Amino acid sequence: MALLTNLTLNQTLLKNGTTFFSDKRTVVNDVMTWFTAFSCLATLVLNGILVTAIACRAELHTAFNLYIVNIAVTDICAGLTNMPGTILNGYHNRWPYNPLSCTILLAYGGTVFGAVNRYAHVLVTVNRFWAVTLPISYRQRHTKGVALALIAVTWIVVHVLCLPVIIRGRINVSPLDPNCWIDRSQQRFYSFVEELLCFTVPEVVIILMYAVILVKLFQREKQKHVKVTSHGMHVMVMQVPALAPESDTVKDHGSAAVAAGRSGGDRTPSSRRSKERVLAYLVIELLLCWTPNNVFYLLVASWAPFYWNTTFFAVQYFGQFLHSWVSPILCYLAMDGLRNGINRMFQRS
């Protein structure tokens, strides 16, 4: 996403830094611009509702929900920078303002917030991976402080990786250039490494971890439900799971909320199922929305710098803006507690 986020269909950025520009508009170009405008509004509204609900409802103040808020906040940041910048760039078919605004809205907004969003999804996967593979350690050590620390580390790492490429790439672009782009011609190797670490590696990590999670959950279910033959009849017997499940029953709902906040919110089976469900939804989303983007830009960045396919570019473009406002919808559908909190918030308003 870092290379061509801000380019329209009539612009092609090559690996050597050359940009081809055309004033001719196309129907697809207009559709992309209006889709971005809709995505910007939907992203701000839907993610804003999600963040507000979690902030206002005490029972939603859990460590796990911090990761959900992190995803929503990065999408909101993109909705305030990259998306408006892309709308302006697409509408005018060139960057209409000064180079500094291009750097902030498109170069920084598109690259940094896109990468942070990917690592925000990684943290959700890491959380479930930790809970499933080391449940006792997770219940004892995973707190809101740990969640905030992990979130802060990802933001810092992404800035360390991305800012050198952005700053150097923008300095090398002439102030008179009508296009808003990052010149990577003098930093090809580092640029490729940055693209790989910030955009491709997160998806690979998520897929591999989720595969392990599915295996562990399957093993857990087999250990929970064992068929025993007795007098010719099959009886279902509950056995103690070898994975030491995270479900401690708490009679009082207020106490349950407090305990959930301390332990990451995995005190009840329904809470665990909600988190496993939201992870499944988000993994499917990233496979559909991220994969075309990663393949396209790795192709352009390294293997085939002169490659250009308008249809492929449009597909990955729509996917990248789609995921920003689909994510809060998936969280609402998957997480029972979050859905109830949002519903109560609207019922009282």
Side-chain angles (χ1 to χ4, degrees), residues 148-177:
L148 288 172
L150 292 174
I151 291 170
V153 168
T154 59
W155 279 77
I156 293 171
V157 169
V158 167
H159 278 80
V160 169
L161 290 172
C162 293
L163 285 183
V165 174
I166 296 173
I167 294 173
R168 187 179 180 187
R170 289 298 299 155
I171 289 176
N172 292 338
V173 176
S174 170
L176 300 178
D177 194 324

Side-chain angles (χ1 to χ4, degrees), residues 112-141:
V112 172
F113 295 134
V116 172
N117 185 268
R118 280 161 165 75
Y119 277 97
H121 284 77
V122 169
L123 289 181
V124 173
T125 311
V126 169
N127 177 273
R128 293 296 86 203
F129 183 85
W130 185 5
V132 171
T133 58
L134 299 170
I136 297 177
S137 170
Y138 177 80
R139 290 177 57 186
Q140 293 176 344
R141 300 182 181 181

Side-chain angles (χ1 to χ4, degrees), residues 164-230:
V165 174
I166 296 173
I167 294 173
R168 187 179 180 187
R170 289 298 299 155
I171 289 176
N172 292 338
V173 176
S174 170
L176 300 178
D177 194 324
N179 302 324
C180 183
W181 60 292
I182 300 174
D183 184 0
R184 297 168 179 261
S185 60
Q186 305 301 318
Q187 46 183 345
R188 296 177 185 176
F189 176 75
Y190 185 81
S191 178
F192 172 73
V193 172
E194 176 249 0
E195 183 80 17
L196 197 67
L197 293 178
C198 289
F199 298 96
T200 304
V201 169
E203 180 174 355
V204 174
V205 169
I206 288 173
I207 293 173
L208 292 178
M209 282 192 173
Y210 189 62
V212 176
I213 290 171
L214 288 179
V215 172
K216 291 293 184 180
L217 291 177
F218 178 75
Q219 292 175 347
R220 173 180 290 179
E221 290 304 314
K222 285 185 64 176
Q223 293 167 349
K224 277 184 179 180
H225 305 284
V226 180
K227 289 185 177 181
V228 179
T229 302
S230 176

Side-chain angles (χ1 to χ4, degrees), residues 17-134:
T18 303
T19 303
F20 295 106
F21 180 80
S22 171
D23 288 324
K24 183 179 179 181
R25 298 186 63 84
T26 65
V27 174
V28 178
N29 184 216
D30 290 334
V31 171
M32 290 169 65
T33 300
W34 285 108
F35 177 77
T36 307
F38 170 79
S39 295
C40 181
L41 178 62
T43 295
L44 295 176
V45 172
L46 295 176
N47 286 286
I49 291 173
L50 187 150
V51 172
T52 302
I54 293 177
C56 295
R57 306 291 303 183
E59 69 271 17
L60 297 179
H61 294 174
T62 66
F64 181 81
N65 282 345
L66 289 175
Y67 301 121
I68 302 299
V69 169
N70 187 36
I71 294 176
V73 168
T74 58
D75 285 327
I76 290 174
C77 289
L80 295 173
T81 56
N82 183 44
M83 291 184 187
T86 303
I87 295 169
L88 292 172
N89 201 44
Y91 180 78
H92 293 281
N93 214 23
R94 65 176 65 227
W95 186 248
Y97 303 112
N98 60 65
L100 180 60
S101 61
C102 160
T103 302
I104 295 174
L105 293 180
L106 287 177
Y108 176 82
T111 304
V112 172
F113 295 134
V116 172
N117 185 268
R118 280 161 165 75
Y119 277 97
H121 284 77
V122 169
L123 289 181
V124 173
T125 311
V126 169
N127 177 273
R128 293 296 86 203
F129 183 85
W130 185 5
V132 171
T133 58
L134 299 170

Side-chain angles (χ1 to χ4, degrees), residues 7 41 79 104 216 220 245 247-248 272 279:
L7 299 181
L41 178 62
I104 295 174
K216 291 293 184 180
R220 173 180 290 179
S247 58
D248 284 345
R272 292 199 309 276
L279 176 59

